[in-house]
DNA sequence: CGAATTGTTGAATATTCTCAACAGAGGTGG
DNA sequence: CCACCTCTGTTGAGAATATTCAACAATTCG
């Protein structure tokens, strides 16, 4: 299985000059009421605000290296971040996707257990690791909120395990599209919803989708074609799809004909 | 794929008379310094103590039903609990195993997202859900400890996803045996370690192992035989195995010959 | 001891992967 | 503006891995 992996060099050029940085203003922030920031008191928000910096990260850029000490935590303001794990021989898997208002970073652990990379252009609200972890013990509300996020992440992860363990290729692809369709309204990608269906852009390439689903590029491609042939989806172009009837896709997500 | 599932009836007979109940004495508890109880102050321990009840659960018995409102949380004192998720058509997967000192229950959520069943005879330290969740806001130390457990569970879950997505059958079985071998000293199962290797009992049947690994019973059986033939493991009987050299097993866990 | 359960093995089948060729989209430079 | 190149995605043929179905062996329980 040929693997597409970022170079080691790329992993190290963290926080490089290509980032655009600006001061944070929580009052006008798009995710103020959805991210960990929601449910925080004025006191906690201002403590966070003092720590934070806004940053733009272009698609493809590394945010956190696997196994490295992590230097930052971050809220995803817009765009999609992918979290990847890699086997020594290069086989890899995307263990999670982060969308707008999700939180990036593994608290209470020195080394980061995965590799985080911008899948699309991404806007981040960054907290230096040291400062953020110092904040936690004094602000139980903040830690509680992080705990909630972690529990949801665990739920999603367990759900995804069932997909990897027991679903066939077509069901996996359908499930993936469904998952994206649910999250896409939160993304800054194109998204239209009307009686005729839902239309949006995929934030990931075929290679990345295959790394989400434990399949090969070719299998993903074939199953996309198959769903298209069945009329479950329409392909506007490689990155843009239309779902005429969500229910048909839901059915494909776990009742794919074995033949 | 034929599925082996507990009857709906079994799911409902929670907390039945077959449980043996006794008062809790934290002072003499085997997991006092490893479970969520470690790192708790005297005040918190006594609050927990008042809530808790000891209970024995025989192998095969349901502890929590999938989708049901959960009535209890629990520490695993001894034995192994399996957490299962099921697709409508019966395909299922074991999303997690709990060993001595692990914590059972999904806080802050009304319905339980998985089905929990005793894989071996199990000793539990049970907390009624209502009382336990009322305790949390007032005892940040307890919530913090739970958070740590949840983060570790998430780490393990993400690691397992990589196995399901990218490892071949032989590697999966080897990884499973390795995981059990690491946890087994905490279990009340037979376990001997000496220069010659490690010897222990498997807490799961072949069917359960296949549900952990996203394989069929037959494939698990074949790969076990294959590892035996290679000399990586020895089978004393179906449930009891010897690992002469852990490193050979580690190698098999992610370098299995593709041929 | 016999029945039921659990585990193993074999043969045929199915799904997915690998390798290879090709097609479409996007970018560059003459 | 078009030829050319690269990158990404699709499609086909053959191979490999795991599944299914079936028979049989070992173990457990009554």
């Amino acid at each position: 299985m040929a693997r597409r992996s970022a170079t080691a060099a790329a992993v190290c050029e963290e926080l490089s000059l290509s980032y655009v940085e600006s001061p944070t203003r929580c009052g006008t922030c798009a995710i103020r009421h959805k991210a960990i920031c929601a449910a925080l008191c004025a006191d906690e928000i201002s403590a966070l605000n003092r720590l934070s910096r806004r940053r733009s990260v272009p698609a493809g850029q590394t945010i956190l290296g696997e196994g490295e000490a992590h230097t930052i935590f971050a809220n995803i303001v817009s765009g999609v971040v992918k979290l990847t794990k890699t086997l020594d021989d290069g086989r890899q898997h995307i263990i999670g996707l982060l969308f707008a208002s999700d939180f990036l970073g593994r608290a209470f652990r020195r080394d980061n257990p995965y590799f985080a990379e911008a899948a699309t252009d991404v806007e981040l609200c960054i907290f230096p690791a040291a400062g953020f972890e110092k904040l936690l013990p004094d602000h139980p509300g903040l830690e509680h909120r992080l705990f909630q996020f972690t529990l949801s992440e665990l739920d999603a992860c367990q759900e995804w395990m069932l997909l990897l363990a027991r679903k066939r290729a077509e069901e996996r692809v359908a499930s993936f599209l469904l998952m994206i369709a649910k999250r896409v309204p939160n993304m800054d990608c194109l998204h239209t919803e009307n009686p005729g269906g839902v239309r949006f852009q995929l934030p990931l390439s075929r290679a990345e989708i295959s790394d989400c689903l434990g399949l090969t590029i070719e299998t993903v491609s074939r199953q996309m074609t198959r769903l298209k042939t069945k009329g479950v989806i329409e392909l506007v172009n490689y990155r843009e799809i239309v779902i005429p009837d969500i229910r048909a896709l839901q059915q494909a997500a776990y009742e794919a004909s074995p033949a």
Side-chain angles (χ1 to χ4, degrees), chain A:
Chain A
M1 187 177 304
R3 280 303 99 188
R4 312 148 297 282
S5 62
T7 63
V11 177
C12 298
E13 57 169 314
E14 261 188 51
L15 308 180
S16 76
L17 294 174
S18 65
Y19 292 89
V20 177
E21 196 168 312
S22 62
T24 306
R25 293 206 200 116
C26 295
T28 62
C29 176
I31 59 166
R32 164 70 181 87
H33 297 289
K34 293 197 287 184
I36 51 165
C37 316
L40 295 190
C41 62
D43 165 45
E44 289 166 331
I45 281 288
S46 75
L48 261 186
N49 198 349
R50 274 191 299 279
L51 269 181
S52 65
R53 287 283 175 285
R54 273 296 183 92
R55 239 171 231 166
S56 294
V57 182
Q61 184 124 17
T62 295
I63 298 168
L64 290 171
E66 185 173 355
E68 286 176 15
H70 54 221
T71 47
I72 58 154
F73 294 92
N75 283 322
I76 317 298
V77 178
S78 70
V80 180
V81 172
K82 60 175 183 174
L83 310 178
T84 308
K85 265 185 178 286
T86 310
L87 244 29
D88 293 345
D89 63 358
R91 284 177 288 179
Q92 64 180 7
H93 180 62
I94 294 179
I95 56 164
L97 292 176
L98 300 181
F99 298 86
S101 85
D102 285 344
F103 182 81
L104 169 64
R106 204 301 195 177
F108 311 123
R109 194 175 149 161
R110 213 146 303 146
D111 56 322
N112 200 57
Y114 43 69
F115 170 88
E117 181 185 326
T120 64
D121 288 347
V122 165
E123 188 94 358
L124 296 178
C125 174
I126 290 190
F127 313 102
F132 187 78
E133 289 202 319
K134 236 180 286 173
L135 219 61
L136 281 178
D138 298 333
H139 298 270
L142 181 57
E143 178 164 324
H144 180 75
R145 187 91 180 129
L146 261 189
F147 186 17
Q148 303 269 23
F149 268 62
T150 305
L151 282 167
S152 299
E153 214 175 333
L154 182 59
D155 289 344
C157 187
Q158 292 174 338
E159 199 71 49
W160 208 250
M161 284 213 299
L162 182 56
L163 173 147
L164 293 171
R166 293 302 182 199
K167 288 191 181 178
R168 34 188 82 265
E170 186 179 339
E171 293 170 306
R172 292 189 202 190
V173 172
S175 300
F176 172 82
L177 295 175
L178 218 46
M179 183 268 283
I180 296 295
K182 272 183 204 154
R183 299 286 235 138
V184 113
N186 302 324
M187 293 163 43
D188 48 349
C189 293
L190 166 72
H191 175 264
T192 355
E193 193 163 353
N194 50 45
V198 183
R199 174 176 178 156
F200 58 89
Q201 280 199 329
L202 294 173
L204 303 186
S205 69
R206 297 291 187 273
E208 290 168 321
I209 295 173
S210 71
D211 275 339
C212 273
L213 298 175
L215 300 169
T216 57
I217 300 176
E218 295 92 331
T219 301
V220 170
S221 179
R222 276 185 248 272
Q223 299 307 331
M224 294 278 271
T225 305
R226 196 168 158 169
L227 288 171
K228 188 177 71 176
T229 308
K230 285 186 176 179
V232 177
I233 61 172
E234 292 158 29
L235 291 174
V236 181
N237 58 47
Y238 293 157
R239 284 282 188 146
E240 199 168 335
I241 79 165
V242 175
I243 303 174
D245 178 9
I246 280 279
R247 284 163 305 175
L249 188 59
Q250 284 169 338
Q251 190 167 334
Y254 63 118
E255 270 185 30
S257 42

